[in-house]
Amino acid sequence: MAYNKLVDCILVFCKDTDIVPALKCARINGLNVSVAHLEHGFQVAKKLKVHSDGIRTIGIQEVMHRLPS
């Protein structure tokens, strides 16, 4: 998606720091990268904060509401 400019921004639902290279790639290619932080969930690692454009706190109810039926 980043290489082909298919999107402008992404919201990542992953807190595993193994995803840092993908975040770097997306940002280098001009995407705005946000990491989702579920309320009452594990904290976002510093590495993910450094390699993203921001953290978006979201409630599980909001996530479930947006899923297709």
Side-chain angles (χ1 to χ4, degrees), residues 31-47:
L31 272 65
N32 183 297
V33 176
S34 295
V35 175
H37 170 62
L38 294 175
E39 294 174 344
H40 311 295
F42 294 108
Q43 293 299 313
V44 177
K46 184 178 180 181
K47 274 187 175 183

Side-chain angles (χ1 to χ4, degrees), residues 11-15 34-38 44 54-58:
L11 178 60
V12 178
F13 282 83
C14 179
K15 292 188 180 174
S34 295
V35 175
H37 170 62
L38 294 175
V44 177
I55 307 301
R56 180 172 169 199
T57 301
I58 187 170

Side-chain angles (χ1 to χ4, degrees), residues 51-65:
H51 295 290
S52 70
D53 294 302
I55 307 301
R56 180 172 169 199
T57 301
I58 187 170
I60 192 67
Q61 295 299 331
E62 185 179 350
V63 173
M64 297 305 291
H65 178 71

Side-chain angles (χ1 to χ4, degrees), residues 2-3 6 12 14-15 20 23 26 28 30 38 48 53 59:
Y3 292 131
L6 298 175
V12 178
C14 179
K15 292 188 180 174
V20 166
L23 298 181
I28 287 169
L38 294 175
L48 294 178
D53 294 302

